Amino acid sequence: KQEVTQIPAALSVPEGENLVLNCSFTDSAIYNLQWFRQDPGKGLTSLLLIQSSQREQTSGRLNASLDKSSGRSTLYIAASQPGDSATYLCAVSPRNTNAGKSTFGDGTTLTVKP
Amino acid sequence: EAQVTQNPRYLITVTGKKLTVTCSQNMNHEYMSWYRQDPGLGLRQIYYSMNVEVTDKGDVPEGYKVSRKEKRNFPLILESPSPNQTSLYFCASSFGGHQKETQYFGPGTRLLVL
């Protein structure tokens, strides 16, 4: 059974700092990996989707990488801002007959202090 | 505006009283899914649907039913709600028949079962 782990559970940084969030998964037979942002009491917003054949994806100040063989993904946030404060979750989809399944990590709660 | 809508957004009910949470998307997505989010347990998949009339169990399907009679709608049915189904529920959708792509989430339904 796929397990997804995100470390650390919480992170606090001063504004302007570059930071990395980590996501690891136990089964490397994935189709894609997606990073989401969740604000308190709100739904999830998709940030980046990486297909299993890709190594990284970029959107603005965000860069997500994928190393399928080691079962790891990182989300790099450059020049962090207070508005980046949220919980960040990663989710993997399997490359098999259970393609509809999604397994989420528990998330990393990021606080960016002004 | 492309979106996933859920109704109701908040619901308080009593044990055993059947309820339905509706989910609708206007993006012509084949794939739809239901999740629940609980403190300390993260986001867990209840049911998903790869297309009309095709549904399958996620990781926590007990006590729930779904149907997919139309492409745009995917209601979640609790035939006899119990207090352990108190949770925050999210509906999501994406393109993809065999494999889903970027998932778009609804705003969530907060359910309290007394």
Side-chain angles (χ1 to χ4, degrees), chain A:
Chain A
K1 180 184 174 185
Q2 179 74 272
E3 292 182 3
V4 179
T5 303
Q6 292 186 247
I7 295 174
L11 181 63
S12 182
V13 301
E15 182 177 3
E17 192 162 296
N18 302 325
L19 59 101
V20 174
L21 307 180
N22 297 294
C23 171
S24 61
F25 46 95
T26 55
D27 186 347
S28 63
I30 66 169
Y31 181 71
N32 59 38
L33 183 147
Q34 193 167 2
W35 281 93
F36 295 89
R37 168 189 174 132
Q38 185 176 27
D39 293 290
K42 300 286 182 63
L44 280 71
T45 301
S46 177
L47 297 174
L48 290 164
L49 175 79
I50 312 177
Q51 302 290 357
S52 62
S53 58
Q54 298 175 320
R55 297 285 293 186
E56 64 179 316
Q57 282 284 347
T58 298
S59 176
R61 294 182 295 108
L62 306 179
N63 176 278
S65 68
L66 175 64
D67 184 343
K68 210 171 53 167
S69 61
S70 68
R72 291 183 183 179
S73 176
T74 61
L75 179 66
Y76 174 82
I77 302 177
S80 59
Q81 303 170 356
D84 295 330
S85 297
T87 297
Y88 291 81
L89 298 101
C90 64
V92 296
S93 296
R95 178 189 293 280
N96 55 33
T97 54
N98 293 321
K101 286 206 163 185
S102 283
T103 304
F104 281 76
D106 289 339
T108 294
T109 299
L110 172 66
T111 302
V112 181
K113 296 173 291 187

Side-chain angles (χ1 to χ4, degrees), chain A residues 38 51 93 99-102, chain B residues 31 37 45 98 100-101 103:
Chain A
Q38 185 176 27
Q51 302 290 357
S93 296
K101 286 206 163 185
S102 283
Chain B
Y31 175 89
Q37 188 173 38
Q45 193 172 29
H98 175 63
K100 61 185 183 298
E101 301 296 335
Q103 289 193 72

